[in-house]
Amino acid sequence: MNVCSVVGARPQFVKAAVVSRELREVGEEVLVHTGQHYDEELSDVFFDELEIPEPEYNLGVESDTHGRQTAAMIAELEPILEETQPDVLLLYGDTNSTLAGAVIGSKRDVAVAHVEAGLRSYNREMPEEINRILTDHASDVCFAPSKAAVENLADEGITDGVYWTGDVMYDMILEARTRAHDRSGILDDLDLTPGEFVLATVHRASNTDDRSNLESILKGLASSPLPVVFPAHPRTIARLEEYELWNRATDELELVEPQGYLDFVRLLDAAERVATDSGGVQKEAFFLETPCVTLRKETEWTETVECGWNELVGPDEGQIREALDRERGTHSTPQPYGDGVASLRIVGLLQQAFDDDSSPDVEPLPNNLTD
Ligand code: UD1
Ligand code: UDP
């Protein structure tokens, strides 16, 4: 089996790390980095810490408008597919790198497989929602992290090639939690005591590219009874400067660089709670049992809200203040995102579908809900 995997942004490095490791045990992988994220702390640090193999291709596309960025990736991916002739193109999540892969894979008649398929926020103003919908509809195989994701796909008529595999970020966090605890010195470096700080991240277009939303989030975070550690995405830093909110942010919050994965997981594990608009961080908070305040009005990870670990507040100063002030209650801990072996299952299913001798080394645990 010859798999071409496409990654480009921070959360995709985390997701691909576990799958790539399993994949290379049983087949061949050509790893393509689109270059969507290129800063050392958004890219290289993940390859080093998570021991992701050096990409065979780096397209070096970097930042641009959605159209130009996605088009450049498509143009660069096409000759790689011609050259490498993969059995399957493996895509992750919902970024422009994902969409570019879906477009060119389906146009070039390469089988497309999508990890983290079926998620929906039902907010089409999010660029990620458009990327998810288009990618799922262009995919031959959809690996869904939750039952709800399988149902979302079925609602859109996508039932063939859909598998409930569990979530690959859960696989990763299970091993990262202990490694982070043993190896990370971030709490000492930032002089933090477990349970006595709030962690915050903000990078969504709707929050960063709208001055009043960003200001409202800053005010809400600043009202926290505990100190707030804020590893800021470069996009957010650029907007804080542009909107002249930089001084307020640095006066009232502990603004730090984007963190490497292990330091970030350590912070998330030790935080009293987290305030974020990230998809991955909402989920990781749930896995680590850190209560989450989500700075959005809707989420794809609905199970985290239903079981009480996550609260949706949007970019609303008052609601953020109230949510950060509230006592943390006791919550149930169901496991809607599988059993920590999603990556094994995904690779087993790929083997079944694309290996000629079709004798997977790992048990595929078929759980296609639509069978
Ligand atoms: C992208 C994804 C988003 C994902 C996020 C993960 C899309 C449409 N968005 O958002 O779904 O949640 O990654 O972090 O694909 N920049 C740098 N250095 C970098 C990368 C970006 O400075 O290495 C700055 C540039 O000013 C750039 C801006 O960040 O214009 C936005 O980068 P981009 O990749 O377009 O989107 P993200 O906000 O990172
Ligand atoms: N992350 C990290 N350092 C940070 C912020 C996030 O390592 O400073 C990790 C986080 O643990 C998660 C992933 O990056 O695995 C989430 O990426 P992001 O929030 O950028 O994107 P999203 O998940 O919203 O697409």
Side-chain angles (χ1 to χ4, degrees), residues 27-347:
E28 285 177 30
E29 183 187 40
V30 171
L31 184 62
V32 181
H33 186 334
T34 62
Q36 178 170 351
H37 283 177
Y38 46 88
D39 284 350
E40 211 267 329
E41 64 269 25
L42 258 64
S43 178
D44 291 359
V45 67
F46 292 87
F47 283 80
D48 293 344
E49 282 187 5
L50 303 179
E51 294 170 4
I52 307 169
E54 181 81 16
E56 276 73 19
Y57 297 88
N58 190 321
L59 310 184
V61 166
E62 302 203 347
S63 309
D64 210 330
T65 62
H66 284 274
R68 281 200 298 259
Q69 186 185 57
T70 311
M73 292 172 188
I74 293 172
E76 296 283 335
L77 280 168
E78 186 165 42
I80 295 173
L81 294 186
E82 271 177 55
E83 196 177 308
T84 58
Q85 298 284 320
D87 298 311
V88 56
L89 186 63
L90 189 59
L91 308 174
Y92 294 89
D94 55 17
T95 72
N96 288 348
S97 300
T98 319
L99 176 63
V103 171
I104 196 60
S106 51
K107 295 268 183 189
R108 296 294 309 196
D109 214 13
V110 176
V112 175
H114 185 204
V115 176
E116 219 179 66
L119 295 178
R120 297 291 182 267
S121 66
Y122 296 101
N123 173 2
R124 284 198 179 221
E125 285 181 13
M126 281 181 87
E128 293 83 0
E129 183 77 351
I130 303 302
N131 291 344
R132 291 177 196 125
I133 293 170
L134 296 177
T135 300
D136 286 337
H137 283 263
S139 293
D140 300 279
V141 186
C142 287
F143 297 125
S146 63
K147 257 189 198 180
V150 175
E151 285 159 13
N152 291 340
L153 291 169
D155 287 347
E156 293 174 22
I158 305 175
T159 52
D160 286 346
V162 175
Y163 298 92
W164 177 29
T165 56
D167 183 59
V168 294
M169 282 183 118
Y170 185 40
D171 300 15
M172 177 50 90
I173 206 88
L174 289 176
E175 60 179 70
R177 182 184 215 169
T178 316
R179 274 176 71 200
H181 191 274
D182 295 346
R183 293 194 203 171
S184 168
I186 191 69
L187 298 182
D188 287 341
D189 293 350
L190 297 180
D191 202 14
L192 295 168
T193 307
E196 292 185 17
F197 67 95
V198 171
L199 181 65
T201 79
V202 178
H203 74 276
R204 291 287 165 199
S206 59
N207 285 334
T208 57
D209 294 358
D210 179 314
R211 189 186 191 283
S212 94
N213 283 351
L214 191 55
E215 187 174 27
S216 178
I217 288 172
L218 288 183
K219 285 187 186 163
L221 292 177
S223 68
S224 159
L226 291 172
V228 177
V229 179
F230 185 176
H233 189 291
R235 170 182 203 133
T236 314
I237 292 179
R239 292 294 179 265
L240 289 172
E241 285 168 347
E242 184 186 331
Y243 300 149
E244 297 182 354
L245 293 170
W246 178 257
N247 288 344
R248 163 175 277 167
T250 50
D251 285 351
E252 296 175 344
L253 310 171
E254 176 81 23
L255 208 69
V256 293
E257 300 271 296
Q259 298 295 302
Y261 185 65
L262 293 180
D263 284 342
F264 190 81
V265 168
R266 185 71 198 110
L267 286 169
L268 187 55
D269 202 10
E272 193 268 342
R273 70 191 73 189
V274 61
T276 189
D277 59 10
S278 158
V281 176
Q282 287 175 61
K283 218 176 4 170
E284 289 171 340
F286 172 74
F287 298 143
L288 296 171
E289 301 191 358
T290 299
C292 184
V293 175
T294 291
L295 307 168
R296 287 175 47 199
K297 291 189 185 128
E298 75 294 303
T299 181
E300 312 71 70
W301 305 102
T302 49
E303 301 86 352
T304 62
V305 176
E306 283 154 16
C307 68
W309 283 97
N310 192 2
E311 185 176 352
L312 303 177
V313 296
D316 181 296
E317 179 192 345
Q319 284 193 47
I320 297 169
R321 180 186 307 115
E322 276 174 36
L324 292 176
D325 244 349
R326 208 169 294 137
E327 284 294 302
R328 61 189 281 180
T330 46
H331 311 272
S332 66
T333 48
Q335 291 201 318
Y337 305 120
D339 48 8
V341 291
S343 44
L344 272 175
R345 198 166 284 139
I346 285 168
V347 171

